[in-house]
């Protein structure tokens, strides 16, 4: 596994105009792995804001092409490294600072249809519980007081041949405890929740000293 990062070129008007919706970001990520044509692997990605700058973060099975990764980035800021060594140091019981962006939704059955309809969860309590309810099956535990929602917004998404929609994205930060090493590894490398192809589901962690 690899973890990659590039600073997004916010000062380039042409690039920012092109980055108008999540579909473009998705294509950017996929195009950064030209050797995978016809045999695409899963990639997790997220946009992080740090000190007024924006970064594209990617976790992937293969290493990216640096030049492709800098398509919408600041020149010479793209980099990647092996993620495996760090992941191998994570053990059950470890306390970790985390950041994750998710697409909190609920499926409700409609009276006129047998199929459920998906709705975004909009209030803070429901969005917080969305993460809580998925913690144990993803290999970690936390309490409501252990984390906060630091950003929530609707972001435009357009898929080829479909109408523009707004995707709900909620970013959480806090402290968790690893309860199942294997499940947690799967969560960090495969993500969890919906819309993983569009910037949701990637959790990053940093160990907290005892």
């Amino acid at each position: 596994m690899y973890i990659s990062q590039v600073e997004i070129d916010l000062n380039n008007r042409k690039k920012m105009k092109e980055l108008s919706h999540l579909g473009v970001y998705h294509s950017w990520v996929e195009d950064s792995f030209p050797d995978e044509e016809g045999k695409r692997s899963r990639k997790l990605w997220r946009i992080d804001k740090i000190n007024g700058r924006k970064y594209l973060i990617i976790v992937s099975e293969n290493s990216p092409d640096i030049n492709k990764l800098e398509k919408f980035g600041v020149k010479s800021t793209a980099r990647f490294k092996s993620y495996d060594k760090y992941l191998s140091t994570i053990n059950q019981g470890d306390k970790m600072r985390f950041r994750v962006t998710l697409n909190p939704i609920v499926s409700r059955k409609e009276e006129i249809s047998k199929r459920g309809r998906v709705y975004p969860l909009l209030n803070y309590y429901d969005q917080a519980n969305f993460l809580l309810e998925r913690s144990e099956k993803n290999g970690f535990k936390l309490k409501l007081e252990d984390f906060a929602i630091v950003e929530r917004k609707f972001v435009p998404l357009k898929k080829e041949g479909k109408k523009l929609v707004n995707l709900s994205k909620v970013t959480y930060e806090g402290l968790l405890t690893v309860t199942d090493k294997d499940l947690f590894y799967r969560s960090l490398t495969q993500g969890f929740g919906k819309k993983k192809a569009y910037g949701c589901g990637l959790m990053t962690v940093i160990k907290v000293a005892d």
Side-chain angles (χ1 to χ4, degrees), residues 99-176:
R99 180 180 177 91
V100 64
T101 296
L102 300 174
N103 169 230
I105 56 171
V106 63
S107 180
R108 298 192 180 107
K109 288 186 177 180
E110 301 287 325
E111 291 185 6
I112 59 174
S113 173
K114 293 182 179 180
R115 297 181 63 183
R117 185 174 178 183
V118 173
Y119 294 90
L121 296 172
L122 299 178
N123 71 64
Y124 188 100
Y125 177 79
D126 289 339
Q127 291 173 346
N129 271 313
F130 183 84
L131 176 60
L132 284 173
E133 291 168 359
R134 284 154 182 77
S135 59
E136 288 289 349
K137 65 182 178 183
N138 283 291
F140 63 93
K141 67 178 180 180
L142 73 170
K143 298 177 183 177
L144 189 60
E145 60 267 28
D146 292 334
F147 68 94
I149 292 173
V150 297
E151 184 177 47
R152 47 184 183 164
K153 60 184 179 180
F154 282 90
V155 185
L157 165 62
K158 192 174 191 310
K159 298 181 183 179
E160 188 174 351
K162 295 188 177 182
K163 294 181 179 179
L164 185 74
V165 297
N166 288 311
L167 182 69
S168 173
K169 300 182 78 172
V170 177
T171 300
Y172 308 77
E173 289 183 357
L175 182 68
L176 60 76

Side-chain angles (χ1 to χ4, degrees), residues 2-188:
Y2 293 85
I3 187 165
S4 312
Q5 174 182 295
V6 63
E7 182 183 347
I8 299 172
D9 194 353
L10 300 178
N11 295 318
N12 188 308
R13 291 184 179 180
K14 183 177 183 297
K15 289 180 180 179
M16 294 312 298
K17 186 176 181 180
E18 287 186 58
L19 286 173
S20 60
H21 61 85
L22 292 173
V24 181
Y25 282 92
H26 169 71
S27 296
W28 177 18
V29 171
E30 290 296 335
D31 291 346
S32 296
F33 299 81
D35 293 338
E36 288 190 358
E37 285 190 21
K39 48 177 181 177
R40 293 293 184 185
S41 63
R42 179 185 297 282
K43 300 157 197 78
L44 302 172
W45 63 272
R46 189 179 74 218
I47 303 300
D48 278 358
K49 293 180 182 178
I50 305 173
N51 298 324
R53 299 179 180 182
K54 280 188 177 182
Y55 297 86
L56 171 65
I57 312 294
I58 305 173
V59 167
S60 58
E61 293 180 14
N62 303 307
S63 59
D65 180 301
I66 289 295
N67 291 324
K68 298 285 188 181
L69 187 56
E70 287 186 346
K71 179 178 179 179
F72 295 101
V74 176
K75 187 174 177 56
S76 300
T77 63
R79 59 187 183 184
F80 68 87
K81 64 180 179 181
S82 173
Y83 201 22
D84 293 321
K85 184 177 180 180
Y86 180 71
L87 293 173
S88 68
T89 68
I90 298 174
N91 294 300
Q92 184 170 323
D94 283 348
K95 296 187 184 303
M96 314 200 82
R97 292 282 175 192
F98 75 89
R99 180 180 177 91
V100 64
T101 296
L102 300 174
N103 169 230
I105 56 171
V106 63
S107 180
R108 298 192 180 107
K109 288 186 177 180
E110 301 287 325
E111 291 185 6
I112 59 174
S113 173
K114 293 182 179 180
R115 297 181 63 183
R117 185 174 178 183
V118 173
Y119 294 90
L121 296 172
L122 299 178
N123 71 64
Y124 188 100
Y125 177 79
D126 289 339
Q127 291 173 346
N129 271 313
F130 183 84
L131 176 60
L132 284 173
E133 291 168 359
R134 284 154 182 77
S135 59
E136 288 289 349
K137 65 182 178 183
N138 283 291
F140 63 93
K141 67 178 180 180
L142 73 170
K143 298 177 183 177
L144 189 60
E145 60 267 28
D146 292 334
F147 68 94
I149 292 173
V150 297
E151 184 177 47
R152 47 184 183 164
K153 60 184 179 180
F154 282 90
V155 185
L157 165 62
K158 192 174 191 310
K159 298 181 183 179
E160 188 174 351
K162 295 188 177 182
K163 294 181 179 179
L164 185 74
V165 297
N166 288 311
L167 182 69
S168 173
K169 300 182 78 172
V170 177
T171 300
Y172 308 77
E173 289 183 357
L175 182 68
L176 60 76
T177 301
V178 179
T179 56
D180 187 307
K181 179 180 177 179
D182 293 335
L183 283 177
F184 195 60
Y185 176 87
R186 185 190 68 185
S187 298
L188 295 181

